[in-house]
Amino acid sequence: RKEVEQDPGPFNVPEGATVAFNCTYSNSASQSFFWYRQDCRKEPKLLMSVYSSGNEDGRFTAQLNRASQYISLLIRDSKLSDSATYLCVVNHPGGFKTIFGAGTRLFVKA
Amino acid sequence: ETGVTQTPRHLVMGMTNKKSLKCEQHLGHNAMYWYKQSAKKPLELMFVYSLEERVENNSVPSRFSPECPNSSHLFLHLHTLQPEDSALYLCASSQVLGGGDEKLFFGSGTQLSVL
């Protein structure tokens, strides 16, 4: 089983749609969780951290369920500029153990 | 000035060449990383330096040799590479505070092609 697994995608949605991505992780001792965004041929950039209480940043909402070892990202009112690959990222304990998922590709169409 | 700068952006090399990738971070971070990203695969951690000491080496072949002369600079020396080493090589930095909450800041990467 992969350490971090994501929906394979691609997701093709119209502008204005709501889209949700899921991610599961295998190490129950994982400490911290993030979503990164990677545009085509560019470097990954931190989108947001993920907390058990849930957190929101504008149109983006992230949620963590430690019991189920599950992370989600919800994007509301999708924009063309949201088209990218979204990477689920998990930090294991002990330092320097950052594990990336393979990413979920999103295409937002006019 | 961007936080993490990498050079070159693109590199084509033969299997017998020797080249180096350079990374510089301007964020005052205390850890630097090399990642490899192959097509349709997750980012793979190669090396980590914390306070200029190598703290992680994920069984990377010896044809890849990292160097961290100070907390702001990181190099990846390449020699006798194989075609399967063609990939995007990403440098990153973070501020390690001990809580496991490190956020990575990436450079724009070097797209490497080995012929």
Side-chain angles (χ1 to χ4, degrees), chain A residues 1-75:
Chain A
R1 181 184 173 186
K2 294 179 184 175
E3 292 188 86
V4 178
E5 292 202 67
Q6 294 186 240
D7 286 348
F11 285 62
N12 294 287
V13 303
E15 272 189 294
T18 295
V19 60
F21 303 139
N22 304 317
C23 171
T24 57
Y25 60 96
S26 61
N27 188 335
S28 60
S30 298
Q31 289 181 285
S32 53
F33 310 87
F34 308 91
W35 284 101
Y36 281 70
R37 169 195 169 127
Q38 186 172 23
D39 292 297
C40 190
R41 299 182 184 278
K42 296 285 184 70
E43 73 275 19
K45 293 184 179 178
L46 178 67
L47 180 65
M48 58 198 304
S49 302
V50 188
Y51 304 111
S52 298
S53 55
N55 49 303
E56 189 173 307
D57 183 2
R59 297 181 293 108
F60 297 83
T61 301
Q63 193 77 44
L64 166 66
N65 184 322
R66 283 190 181 270
S68 302
Q69 295 179 207
Y70 173 94
I71 303 161
S72 65
L73 177 68
L74 183 76
I75 305 176

Side-chain angles (χ1 to χ4, degrees), chain B residues 13-27:
Chain B
M13 57 189 290
M15 290 192 286
T16 57
N17 292 156
K18 288 184 180 181
K19 297 286 184 184
S20 295
L21 310 184
K22 179 182 175 182
C23 178
E24 183 175 0
Q25 60 99 358
H26 312 275
L27 300 169

Side-chain angles (χ1 to χ4, degrees), chain B residues 41-62:
Chain B
K41 287 187 177 180
L43 272 74
E44 300 170 53
L45 179 62
M46 299 176 73
F47 303 104
V48 183
Y49 278 82
S50 176
L51 299 173
E52 299 149 43
E53 286 192 32
R54 191 190 309 181
V55 295
E56 192 73 31
N57 177 350
N58 275 355
S59 303
V60 178
S62 58

